[in-house]
Amino acid sequence: TPLSIMVGTGKGATMGVLIKNAESLEIFEKVDTIVVDKTGTLTEGRPKLVDVTPAGDIAEDELLQLTASRERASEHPLAEAIVSGAEVRSVELVKVDDFQSVTGKGVTGKVNGRLVALGNARLLESLDISTGDLPQMADSLRHEGQTVMLAAVDGKAAGLIGVADPIKKSTPEAIKDLHAEGLTVVMLT
């Protein structure tokens, strides 16, 4: 008999455990694995800008200004994180023209007359822009838990933008406590 237990800490959820019947509660003592999702459960659920890595001759603030200005037109949570990160760093955002979203790849637009592309390696490749060693650099940041976007300016690879959803302060202790109870914790996201 499948056991259904729901713990909610995300948007609109109340903290607690819902157990459908007494038999389920008795079966629960046999549970040895807890499966959790990440966003809003283990993390804060609010991504933040954590890395701006310029490549070539572009300065960090300029890269952030161009990419954050480009992202200001988007409602995506990662875009919001980049824009907020620029505001925290007092980077002035400027006008964007010719905004385009390329499904599954990223976005492009003109910022201060410069063509800016932000997305994955496939986006840059589709624009005939050499990614150089950006994909390898991006993989390194991804191993740190970041979502990484490649940036290009005026047809040249310009750097990386890294965003991460910070882990809740309570998460490490909660995981430690579950392990101490003999439970295996699996993140399914």
Side-chain angles (χ1 to χ4, degrees), residues 115-126:
L115 182 58
V116 177
L118 185 64
N120 57 32
R122 291 188 327 240
L123 174 66
L124 273 60
E125 290 164 3
S126 73

Side-chain angles (χ1 to χ4, degrees), residues 102-122:
V102 183
T103 304
K105 294 181 181 177
V107 294
T108 63
K110 283 195 175 183
V111 181
N112 267 356
R114 302 181 77 184
L115 182 58
V116 177
L118 185 64
N120 57 32
R122 291 188 327 240

Side-chain angles (χ1 to χ4, degrees), residues 32-147:
D32 63 359
T33 303
I34 302 289
V35 179
V36 297
D37 85 344
K38 179 182 72 164
T39 306
T41 302
L42 301 178
T43 65
E44 293 176 7
R46 292 181 305 278
K48 292 181 173 37
L49 176 70
V50 293
D51 194 272
V52 179
T53 304
D57 59 356
I58 192 166
E60 183 176 319
D61 281 351
E62 182 181 15
L63 177 61
L64 183 55
Q65 178 187 49
L66 293 170
T67 56
S69 294
R70 217 279 351 116
E71 290 292 81
R72 185 170 46 180
S74 176
E75 294 178 6
H76 193 282
L78 297 180
E80 290 176 16
I82 295 168
V83 171
S84 294
E87 290 169 351
V88 165
R89 296 177 185 201
S90 300
V91 172
E92 181 183 352
L93 303 184
V94 295
K95 185 177 187 265
V96 177
D97 295 311
D98 299 328
F99 172 85
Q100 288 187 332
S101 177
V102 183
T103 304
K105 294 181 181 177
V107 294
T108 63
K110 283 195 175 183
V111 181
N112 267 356
R114 302 181 77 184
L115 182 58
V116 177
L118 185 64
N120 57 32
R122 291 188 327 240
L123 174 66
L124 273 60
E125 290 164 3
S126 73
L127 298 170
D128 292 325
I129 298 171
S130 172
T131 59
D133 60 355
L134 288 183
Q136 293 80 14
M137 294 168 59
D139 284 343
S140 173
L141 296 175
R142 287 184 187 110
H143 286 296
E144 296 174 12
Q146 295 182 35
T147 298

Side-chain angles (χ1 to χ4, degrees), residues 151-164:
V153 177
D154 294 331
K156 294 181 182 176
L160 304 172
I161 303 293
V163 175

